[in-house]
Amino acid sequence: MTFVETTIFGGITVGAFLLIVAALFVTLAVMMLYRAILGPTNQDRVLAVNVLGTNTVVILALLGAALGEPWFLDIALVYALLNFLMSIAISKFTVERGGVI
């Protein structure tokens, strides 16, 4: 693991800044988990799960950039494709069962 050593904002490194932003996205994902579990409708739950997947992709990309590990970006790309396919499958399942209002 190698951090990016360029300094910004009064001495903080770019790698440390990206890790702070990734921690912020983790916090937002935990808050979105509330909506995924206790959403009043199924559409709220599906949207929350989709946002959680997108946050996961962003977190993986930030970690890959901060740590200088390119394989994090490969995992993020595969996870983004799986997240897209999952949202299409859930939407198709919801429409076929008549859950769309």
Side-chain angles (χ1 to χ4, degrees):
M1 286 194 284
T2 60
F3 286 104
V4 180
E5 296 297 330
T6 306
T7 58
I8 56 172
F9 299 130
I12 188 171
T13 63
V14 173
F17 178 73
L18 291 176
L19 289 176
I20 291 169
V21 173
L24 176 67
F25 272 100
V26 168
T27 305
L28 293 173
V30 169
M31 291 188 327
M32 187 54 64
L33 190 61
Y34 170 78
R35 178 61 59 199
I37 294 172
L38 299 175
T41 64
N42 284 335
Q43 287 83 9
D44 287 335
R45 290 184 180 102
V46 169
L47 187 63
V49 169
N50 197 1
V51 170
L52 281 170
T54 304
N55 274 351
T56 303
V57 170
V58 170
I59 291 166
L60 286 171
L62 286 170
L63 287 176
L67 301 176
E69 298 288 341
W71 57 272
F72 274 105
L73 298 175
D74 296 337
I75 294 172
L77 182 63
V78 170
Y79 195 80
L81 292 171
L82 289 174
N83 188 35
F84 173 72
L85 289 175
M86 184 260 330
S87 64
I88 296 296
I90 289 176
S91 298
K92 183 173 172 45
F93 178 73
T94 304
V95 168
E96 286 179 357
R97 291 199 47 195
V100 176
I101 296 173

